[in-house]
Amino acid sequence: DDDLIKPDAIHNLLQALLNNPGATLATSKRERIDEQGELLADDIYTVNPFGADVLVKGDELVSFLADNTINFIGEPSCTLCRKADFERFTERPTYLNGKGIGWVGDLAFYAKLLRMGDLVYLSEPQTQFRVSSQQFSQIGRDKVGIGEKGHADFRQAIRDLGWYRSDSDNNQVQVARLDSSGVAMRF
């Protein structure tokens, strides 16, 4: 309710999806702001992991997230997907393998989309994520261990569904720059 999107955010995320038909999810770096709207320093969740506009291989990212459950993709207000892709879900968006994923339900939703395609990540912030002492997610972050069960359920569901790459390095994913170089790399 208190996140902000920049004026061209939807246009920019939509263009990212249209320009990358193999992508099922678009997001961007996001900025943290305080209760008064002042910019806060990045944290592990909002720092740009890529440094450029990139296309991230979806199935590899899902496996990566099963070992590194850090939501750099962002809150739902930061993302855009195609309605047709969303409608392919056969169970609730925040459920995996018949089980509700608490605390990181957005990652469950993203994992389903990323199993169908790739992630477009824009380096220019398109949203601002407000941090306040009354915010549900901040209250939980302030209490040690509050999200551990949701994280564990998420990681286990990825494995139970066979989406985990046990025979490869899950600390790296294939990333391709969206600029004219199109250089692919392991990140």
Side-chain angles (χ1 to χ4, degrees):
D1 291 340
D2 53 2
D3 295 347
L4 303 175
I5 63 172
K6 298 199 175 178
D8 292 334
I10 293 172
H11 174 265
N12 294 338
L13 293 170
L14 177 60
Q15 281 305 121
L17 285 175
L18 292 174
N19 292 340
N20 297 279
T24 53
L25 183 62
T27 193
S28 72
K29 179 185 182 336
R30 61 206 196 278
E31 297 172 320
R32 293 175 0 117
I33 56 173
D34 66 15
E35 294 173 0
Q36 290 74 41
E38 298 296 320
L39 283 177
L40 298 171
D42 279 329
D43 63 12
I44 192 171
Y45 305 101
T46 60
V47 70
N48 181 344
F50 308 110
D53 294 347
V54 295
L55 185 67
V56 183
K57 187 151 176 43
D59 60 342
E60 290 183 7
L61 181 54
V62 170
S63 194
F64 171 88
L65 290 170
D67 281 344
N68 307 281
T69 313
I70 299 170
N71 185 2
F72 69 87
I73 298 170
E75 299 70 35
S77 60
C78 302
T79 64
L80 189 70
C81 70
R82 293 178 185 85
K83 180 180 177 186
D85 291 333
F86 178 81
E87 290 175 339
R88 292 173 54 188
F89 295 165
T90 58
E91 62 182 345
R92 291 187 249 179
T94 60
Y95 276 61
L96 287 175
N97 208 24
K99 183 173 189 167
I101 304 298
W103 199 255
V104 288
D106 48 359
L107 284 181
F109 171 60
Y110 303 153
K112 290 179 184 183
L113 287 167
L114 293 169
R115 288 295 300 168
M116 296 186 283
D118 298 328
L119 170 73
V120 178
Y121 184 96
L122 302 178
S123 60
E124 180 67 30
Q126 301 297 310
T127 59
Q128 294 182 319
F129 174 70
R130 190 177 308 273
V131 177
S132 71
S133 58
Q134 291 79 36
Q135 179 185 48
F136 173 76
S137 57
Q138 187 60 44
I139 292 168
R141 280 190 288 275
D142 292 342
K143 294 180 182 178
V144 175
I146 192 83
E148 287 179 15
K149 180 168 179 4
H151 284 220
D153 289 345
F154 173 78
R155 291 189 294 265
Q156 188 60 51
I158 297 302
R159 286 165 171 79
D160 292 346
L161 288 163
W163 297 352
Y164 184 76
R165 301 176 303 156
S166 59
D167 60 343
S168 61
D169 182 0
N170 284 306
N171 288 318
Q172 291 190 346
V173 295
Q174 183 177 328
V175 175
R177 292 179 62 103
L178 293 181
D179 64 14
S180 58
S181 73
V183 173
M185 59 196 136
R186 302 294 296 170
F187 178 81

Short mmCIF file of all heavy atoms in Angstrom, two decimals, residues 43-89:
data_model
loop_
_atom_site.label_atom_id
_atom_site.label_comp_id
_atom_site.label_asym_id
_atom_site.label_seq_id
_atom_site.Cartn_x
_atom_site.Cartn_y
_atom_site.Cartn_z
N ASP A 43 20.22 -2.35 0.82
CA ASP A 43 20.55 -3.49 1.66
C ASP A 43 20.74 -4.70 0.75
O ASP A 43 20.71 -4.57 -0.48
CB ASP A 43 19.50 -3.73 2.75
CG ASP A 43 18.12 -4.08 2.20
OD1 ASP A 43 17.97 -4.37 1.00
OD2 ASP A 43 17.16 -4.08 3.00
N ILE A 44 20.92 -5.87 1.31
CA ILE A 44 21.19 -7.07 0.51
C ILE A 44 20.06 -7.37 -0.48
O ILE A 44 20.28 -7.97 -1.52
CB ILE A 44 21.46 -8.28 1.43
CG1 ILE A 44 22.02 -9.45 0.61
CG2 ILE A 44 20.22 -8.67 2.20
CD1 ILE A 44 22.52 -10.60 1.44
N TYR A 45 18.86 -6.91 -0.17
CA TYR A 45 17.70 -7.19 -1.02
C TYR A 45 17.54 -6.18 -2.17
O TYR A 45 16.91 -6.49 -3.16
CB TYR A 45 16.42 -7.21 -0.18
CG TYR A 45 16.51 -8.18 0.97
CD1 TYR A 45 16.78 -7.73 2.25
CD2 TYR A 45 16.36 -9.54 0.75
CE1 TYR A 45 16.89 -8.63 3.31
CE2 TYR A 45 16.47 -10.44 1.81
CZ TYR A 45 16.73 -9.99 3.08
OH TYR A 45 16.85 -10.87 4.11
N THR A 46 18.07 -4.98 -2.01
CA THR A 46 17.84 -3.95 -3.02
C THR A 46 19.08 -3.57 -3.84
O THR A 46 18.94 -2.85 -4.82
CB THR A 46 17.27 -2.67 -2.38
OG1 THR A 46 18.21 -2.17 -1.41
CG2 THR A 46 15.93 -2.94 -1.72
N VAL A 47 20.23 -4.06 -3.47
CA VAL A 47 21.41 -3.76 -4.26
C VAL A 47 21.27 -4.41 -5.64
O VAL A 47 20.68 -5.49 -5.77
CB VAL A 47 22.70 -4.24 -3.53
CG1 VAL A 47 22.80 -5.74 -3.48
CG2 VAL A 47 23.94 -3.63 -4.15
N ASN A 48 21.77 -3.75 -6.66
CA ASN A 48 21.69 -4.29 -8.01
C ASN A 48 22.76 -5.38 -8.17
O ASN A 48 23.95 -5.07 -8.19
CB ASN A 48 21.92 -3.17 -9.03
CG ASN A 48 21.83 -3.63 -10.45
OD1 ASN A 48 21.87 -4.83 -10.74
ND2 ASN A 48 21.70 -2.69 -11.37
N PRO A 49 22.35 -6.64 -8.32
CA PRO A 49 23.35 -7.71 -8.42
C PRO A 49 24.05 -7.79 -9.77
O PRO A 49 25.03 -8.50 -9.90
CB PRO A 49 22.55 -8.97 -8.14
CG PRO A 49 21.15 -8.63 -8.54
CD PRO A 49 20.99 -7.15 -8.29
N PHE A 50 23.55 -7.08 -10.77
CA PHE A 50 24.06 -7.25 -12.13
C PHE A 50 24.77 -6.04 -12.71
O PHE A 50 25.60 -6.18 -13.60
CB PHE A 50 22.92 -7.66 -13.07
CG PHE A 50 22.14 -8.84 -12.57
CD1 PHE A 50 20.84 -8.68 -12.11
CD2 PHE A 50 22.70 -10.10 -12.51
CE1 PHE A 50 20.12 -9.76 -11.64
CE2 PHE A 50 21.99 -11.19 -12.03
CZ PHE A 50 20.70 -11.02 -11.59
N GLY A 51 24.40 -4.84 -12.32
CA GLY A 51 25.06 -3.64 -12.81
C GLY A 51 24.62 -3.19 -14.18
O GLY A 51 25.15 -2.21 -14.70
N ALA A 52 23.68 -3.89 -14.80
CA ALA A 52 23.21 -3.54 -16.14
C ALA A 52 21.83 -4.16 -16.34
O ALA A 52 21.39 -4.97 -15.53
CB ALA A 52 24.18 -4.06 -17.20
N ASP A 53 21.17 -3.78 -17.43
CA ASP A 53 19.93 -4.45 -17.81
C ASP A 53 20.28 -5.84 -18.31
O ASP A 53 21.15 -5.98 -19.19
CB ASP A 53 19.21 -3.69 -18.93
CG ASP A 53 18.72 -2.32 -18.50
OD1 ASP A 53 18.71 -2.02 -17.29
OD2 ASP A 53 18.35 -1.53 -19.39
N VAL A 54 19.63 -6.87 -17.76
CA VAL A 54 20.00 -8.25 -18.11
C VAL A 54 18.77 -9.14 -18.24
O VAL A 54 17.68 -8.83 -17.76
CB VAL A 54 20.95 -8.87 -17.05
CG1 VAL A 54 22.28 -8.16 -17.02
CG2 VAL A 54 20.31 -8.91 -15.68
N LEU A 55 19.01 -10.27 -18.91
CA LEU A 55 18.05 -11.36 -18.99
C LEU A 55 18.67 -12.52 -18.21
O LEU A 55 19.79 -12.95 -18.50
CB LEU A 55 17.83 -11.76 -20.46
CG LEU A 55 16.77 -12.82 -20.72
CD1 LEU A 55 15.38 -12.29 -20.38
CD2 LEU A 55 16.82 -13.24 -22.19
N VAL A 56 17.95 -13.01 -17.21
CA VAL A 56 18.44 -14.06 -16.33
C VAL A 56 17.70 -15.35 -16.65
O VAL A 56 16.46 -15.35 -16.71
CB VAL A 56 18.23 -13.69 -14.84
CG1 VAL A 56 18.82 -14.75 -13.92
CG2 VAL A 56 18.82 -12.31 -14.54
N LYS A 57 18.42 -16.44 -16.82
CA LYS A 57 17.83 -17.74 -17.15
C LYS A 57 16.94 -18.18 -15.99
O LYS A 57 17.40 -18.41 -14.87
CB LYS A 57 18.91 -18.76 -17.45
CG LYS A 57 18.36 -20.07 -17.97
CD LYS A 57 19.36 -20.75 -18.87
CE LYS A 57 18.92 -22.11 -19.35
NZ LYS A 57 17.54 -22.24 -19.76
N GLY A 58 15.66 -18.31 -16.26
CA GLY A 58 14.65 -18.54 -15.23
C GLY A 58 14.82 -19.80 -14.41
O GLY A 58 14.79 -19.76 -13.18
N ASP A 59 14.98 -20.96 -15.09
CA ASP A 59 15.06 -22.21 -14.32
C ASP A 59 16.32 -22.25 -13.46
O ASP A 59 16.30 -22.79 -12.35
CB ASP A 59 14.95 -23.42 -15.23
CG ASP A 59 16.04 -23.52 -16.29
OD1 ASP A 59 16.71 -22.51 -16.57
OD2 ASP A 59 16.22 -24.61 -16.84
N GLU A 60 17.41 -21.66 -13.93
CA GLU A 60 18.62 -21.61 -13.12
C GLU A 60 18.43 -20.68 -11.92
O GLU A 60 18.93 -20.97 -10.82
CB GLU A 60 19.81 -21.14 -13.96
CG GLU A 60 20.26 -22.14 -14.99
CD GLU A 60 21.50 -21.70 -15.77
OE1 GLU A 60 22.09 -20.65 -15.42
OE2 GLU A 60 21.87 -22.42 -16.72
N LEU A 61 17.70 -19.61 -12.11
CA LEU A 61 17.45 -18.68 -11.01
C LEU A 61 16.61 -19.34 -9.92
O LEU A 61 16.85 -19.14 -8.73
CB LEU A 61 16.79 -17.40 -11.52
CG LEU A 61 16.50 -16.32 -10.48
CD1 LEU A 61 17.74 -15.95 -9.68
CD2 LEU A 61 15.91 -15.10 -11.16
N VAL A 62 15.61 -20.14 -10.32
CA VAL A 62 14.80 -20.85 -9.33
C VAL A 62 15.68 -21.75 -8.48
O VAL A 62 15.57 -21.76 -7.24
CB VAL A 62 13.68 -21.67 -10.02
CG1 VAL A 62 12.99 -22.59 -9.02
CG2 VAL A 62 12.67 -20.74 -10.68
N SER A 63 16.57 -22.48 -9.09
CA SER A 63 17.47 -23.36 -8.36
C SER A 63 18.41 -22.55 -7.46
O SER A 63 18.66 -22.91 -6.31
CB SER A 63 18.27 -24.23 -9.33
OG SER A 63 18.90 -25.28 -8.66
N PHE A 64 18.91 -21.44 -7.96
CA PHE A 64 19.75 -20.53 -7.16
C PHE A 64 19.00 -20.08 -5.91
O PHE A 64 19.55 -20.08 -4.80
CB PHE A 64 20.16 -19.33 -8.02
CG PHE A 64 20.84 -18.23 -7.27
CD1 PHE A 64 22.21 -18.25 -7.10
CD2 PHE A 64 20.12 -17.17 -6.75
CE1 PHE A 64 22.85 -17.22 -6.41
CE2 PHE A 64 20.75 -16.14 -6.06
CZ PHE A 64 22.13 -16.17 -5.89
N LEU A 65 17.74 -19.68 -6.08
CA LEU A 65 16.96 -19.18 -4.95
C LEU A 65 16.69 -20.25 -3.91
O LEU A 65 16.48 -19.94 -2.73
CB LEU A 65 15.63 -18.58 -5.45
CG LEU A 65 15.76 -17.27 -6.23
CD1 LEU A 65 14.44 -16.90 -6.88
CD2 LEU A 65 16.29 -16.15 -5.35
N ALA A 66 16.73 -21.52 -4.31
CA ALA A 66 16.55 -22.60 -3.34
C ALA A 66 17.73 -22.71 -2.39
O ALA A 66 17.59 -23.23 -1.28
CB ALA A 66 16.33 -23.93 -4.07
N ASP A 67 18.88 -22.25 -2.80
CA ASP A 67 20.06 -22.22 -1.92
C ASP A 67 20.31 -20.84 -1.34
O ASP A 67 20.93 -20.70 -0.30
CB ASP A 67 21.31 -22.66 -2.68
CG ASP A 67 21.42 -24.16 -2.84
OD1 ASP A 67 20.72 -24.90 -2.13
OD2 ASP A 67 22.22 -24.59 -3.69
N ASN A 68 19.88 -19.81 -2.04
CA ASN A 68 20.14 -18.42 -1.66
C ASN A 68 18.81 -17.66 -1.66
O ASN A 68 18.51 -16.93 -2.59
CB ASN A 68 21.10 -17.78 -2.67
CG ASN A 68 22.36 -18.60 -2.85
OD1 ASN A 68 23.25 -18.54 -2.03
ND2 ASN A 68 22.42 -19.38 -3.91
N THR A 69 18.04 -17.88 -0.63
CA THR A 69 16.67 -17.35 -0.59
C THR A 69 16.69 -15.86 -0.24
O THR A 69 16.28 -15.45 0.83
CB THR A 69 15.82 -18.17 0.39
OG1 THR A 69 16.03 -19.55 0.14
CG2 THR A 69 14.34 -17.87 0.22
N ILE A 70 17.17 -15.09 -1.19
CA ILE A 70 17.27 -13.63 -1.07
C ILE A 70 16.41 -13.03 -2.18
O ILE A 70 16.69 -13.23 -3.36
CB ILE A 70 18.73 -13.15 -1.22
CG1 ILE A 70 19.58 -13.77 -0.11
CG2 ILE A 70 18.80 -11.64 -1.20
CD1 ILE A 70 21.06 -13.55 -0.31
N ASN A 71 15.40 -12.31 -1.81
CA ASN A 71 14.49 -11.77 -2.80
C ASN A 71 14.99 -10.44 -3.36
O ASN A 71 14.53 -9.37 -2.98
CB ASN A 71 13.09 -11.60 -2.22
CG ASN A 71 12.10 -11.15 -3.27
OD1 ASN A 71 12.45 -11.00 -4.44
ND2 ASN A 71 10.88 -10.93 -2.87
N PHE A 72 15.92 -10.51 -4.30
CA PHE A 72 16.37 -9.31 -4.99
C PHE A 72 15.40 -8.95 -6.12
O PHE A 72 15.50 -7.87 -6.70
CB PHE A 72 17.80 -9.48 -5.54
CG PHE A 72 17.90 -10.46 -6.67
CD1 PHE A 72 17.69 -10.06 -7.97
CD2 PHE A 72 18.19 -11.79 -6.42
CE1 PHE A 72 17.78 -10.96 -9.02
CE2 PHE A 72 18.27 -12.70 -7.46
CZ PHE A 72 18.07 -12.28 -8.76
N ILE A 73 14.45 -9.83 -6.44
CA ILE A 73 13.47 -9.57 -7.49
C ILE A 73 12.52 -8.46 -7.05
O ILE A 73 12.13 -7.62 -7.84
CB ILE A 73 12.70 -10.85 -7.87
CG1 ILE A 73 13.68 -11.89 -8.42
CG2 ILE A 73 11.58 -10.56 -8.85
CD1 ILE A 73 13.09 -13.28 -8.61
N GLY A 74 12.16 -8.48 -5.79
CA GLY A 74 11.35 -7.40 -5.24
C GLY A 74 9.94 -7.83 -4.88
O GLY A 74 9.52 -8.96 -5.09
N GLU A 75 9.23 -6.89 -4.36
CA GLU A 75 7.85 -7.09 -3.96
C GLU A 75 6.96 -7.13 -5.20
O GLU A 75 7.37 -6.67 -6.27
CB GLU A 75 7.42 -5.94 -3.03
CG GLU A 75 8.22 -5.86 -1.74
CD GLU A 75 9.66 -5.40 -1.96
OE1 GLU A 75 9.91 -4.57 -2.85
OE2 GLU A 75 10.53 -5.90 -1.23
N PRO A 76 5.74 -7.65 -5.08
CA PRO A 76 4.86 -7.68 -6.26
C PRO A 76 4.67 -6.32 -6.93
O PRO A 76 4.49 -6.25 -8.14
CB PRO A 76 3.55 -8.23 -5.69
CG PRO A 76 4.00 -9.13 -4.58
CD PRO A 76 5.17 -8.38 -3.95
N SER A 77 4.73 -5.24 -6.15
CA SER A 77 4.57 -3.90 -6.74
C SER A 77 5.73 -3.55 -7.68
O SER A 77 5.62 -2.61 -8.45
CB SER A 77 4.47 -2.85 -5.64
OG SER A 77 5.62 -2.85 -4.83
N CYS A 78 6.81 -4.31 -7.63
CA CYS A 78 8.00 -4.06 -8.45
C CYS A 78 8.01 -4.87 -9.73
O CYS A 78 8.92 -4.69 -10.55
CB CYS A 78 9.26 -4.43 -7.67
SG CYS A 78 9.46 -3.57 -6.13
N THR A 79 7.09 -5.78 -9.90
CA THR A 79 7.18 -6.75 -10.98
C THR A 79 6.01 -6.65 -11.95
O THR A 79 4.97 -6.08 -11.63
CB THR A 79 7.23 -8.19 -10.41
OG1 THR A 79 6.01 -8.46 -9.73
CG2 THR A 79 8.40 -8.37 -9.47
N LEU A 80 6.21 -7.27 -13.11
CA LEU A 80 5.15 -7.35 -14.11
C LEU A 80 5.28 -8.69 -14.82
O LEU A 80 6.39 -9.14 -15.13
CB LEU A 80 5.29 -6.20 -15.12
CG LEU A 80 4.13 -6.02 -16.10
CD1 LEU A 80 2.89 -5.48 -15.37
CD2 LEU A 80 4.53 -5.05 -17.21
N CYS A 81 4.13 -9.32 -15.05
CA CYS A 81 4.10 -10.56 -15.82
C CYS A 81 2.91 -10.50 -16.77
O CYS A 81 2.03 -9.65 -16.63
CB CYS A 81 4.01 -11.79 -14.91
SG CYS A 81 2.43 -12.00 -14.05
N ARG A 82 2.90 -11.40 -17.72
CA ARG A 82 1.79 -11.48 -18.66
C ARG A 82 0.61 -12.20 -18.02
O ARG A 82 0.78 -13.19 -17.31
CB ARG A 82 2.21 -12.25 -19.92
CG ARG A 82 3.23 -11.54 -20.76
CD ARG A 82 3.63 -12.39 -21.98
NE ARG A 82 4.69 -11.76 -22.71
CZ ARG A 82 5.99 -11.89 -22.41
NH1 ARG A 82 6.36 -12.66 -21.40
NH2 ARG A 82 6.90 -11.28 -23.13
N LYS A 83 -0.58 -11.71 -18.29
CA LYS A 83 -1.79 -12.32 -17.76
C LYS A 83 -1.89 -13.79 -18.19
O LYS A 83 -2.25 -14.65 -17.39
CB LYS A 83 -3.02 -11.55 -18.23
CG LYS A 83 -4.33 -12.11 -17.72
CD LYS A 83 -5.51 -11.30 -18.23
CE LYS A 83 -6.80 -11.92 -17.76
NZ LYS A 83 -7.96 -11.26 -18.34
N ALA A 84 -1.55 -14.08 -19.42
CA ALA A 84 -1.64 -15.46 -19.92
C ALA A 84 -0.71 -16.39 -19.15
O ALA A 84 -1.06 -17.54 -18.87
CB ALA A 84 -1.31 -15.51 -21.42
N ASP A 85 0.47 -15.92 -18.77
CA ASP A 85 1.38 -16.74 -17.97
C ASP A 85 0.82 -16.97 -16.58
O ASP A 85 0.87 -18.07 -16.04
CB ASP A 85 2.77 -16.10 -17.89
CG ASP A 85 3.50 -16.13 -19.22
OD1 ASP A 85 3.22 -17.03 -20.04
OD2 ASP A 85 4.35 -15.25 -19.44
N PHE A 86 0.28 -15.92 -15.99
CA PHE A 86 -0.32 -16.04 -14.67
C PHE A 86 -1.48 -17.04 -14.67
O PHE A 86 -1.63 -17.84 -13.75
CB PHE A 86 -0.81 -14.67 -14.18
CG PHE A 86 -1.48 -14.71 -12.85
CD1 PHE A 86 -0.73 -14.75 -11.68
CD2 PHE A 86 -2.86 -14.71 -12.74
CE1 PHE A 86 -1.34 -14.79 -10.44
CE2 PHE A 86 -3.49 -14.76 -11.52
CZ PHE A 86 -2.72 -14.80 -10.36
N GLU A 87 -2.27 -17.00 -15.71
CA GLU A 87 -3.45 -17.88 -15.78
C GLU A 87 -3.08 -19.35 -15.98
O GLU A 87 -3.94 -20.22 -15.83
CB GLU A 87 -4.40 -17.41 -16.88
CG GLU A 87 -5.08 -16.10 -16.51
CD GLU A 87 -5.94 -15.53 -17.62
OE1 GLU A 87 -5.72 -15.89 -18.81
OE2 GLU A 87 -6.82 -14.71 -17.30
N ARG A 88 -1.83 -19.65 -16.27
CA ARG A 88 -1.40 -21.05 -16.42
C ARG A 88 -1.22 -21.75 -15.07
O ARG A 88 -1.10 -22.97 -15.03
CB ARG A 88 -0.09 -21.11 -17.22
CG ARG A 88 -0.30 -20.70 -18.68
CD ARG A 88 0.98 -20.58 -19.44
NE ARG A 88 1.80 -21.78 -19.38
CZ ARG A 88 3.03 -21.86 -19.86
NH1 ARG A 88 3.60 -20.80 -20.41
NH2 ARG A 88 3.71 -22.97 -19.79
N PHE A 89 -1.21 -20.99 -13.98
CA PHE A 89 -1.06 -21.60 -12.67
C PHE A 89 -2.27 -22.48 -12.38
O PHE A 89 -3.40 -22.10 -12.62
CB PHE A 89 -0.97 -20.55 -11.56
CG PHE A 89 0.26 -19.68 -11.63
CD1 PHE A 89 0.31 -18.52 -10.91
CD2 PHE A 89 1.36 -20.02 -12.39
CE1 PHE A 89 1.43 -17.70 -10.93
CE2 PHE A 89 2.49 -19.22 -12.43
CZ PHE A 89 2.51 -18.07 -11.70
#
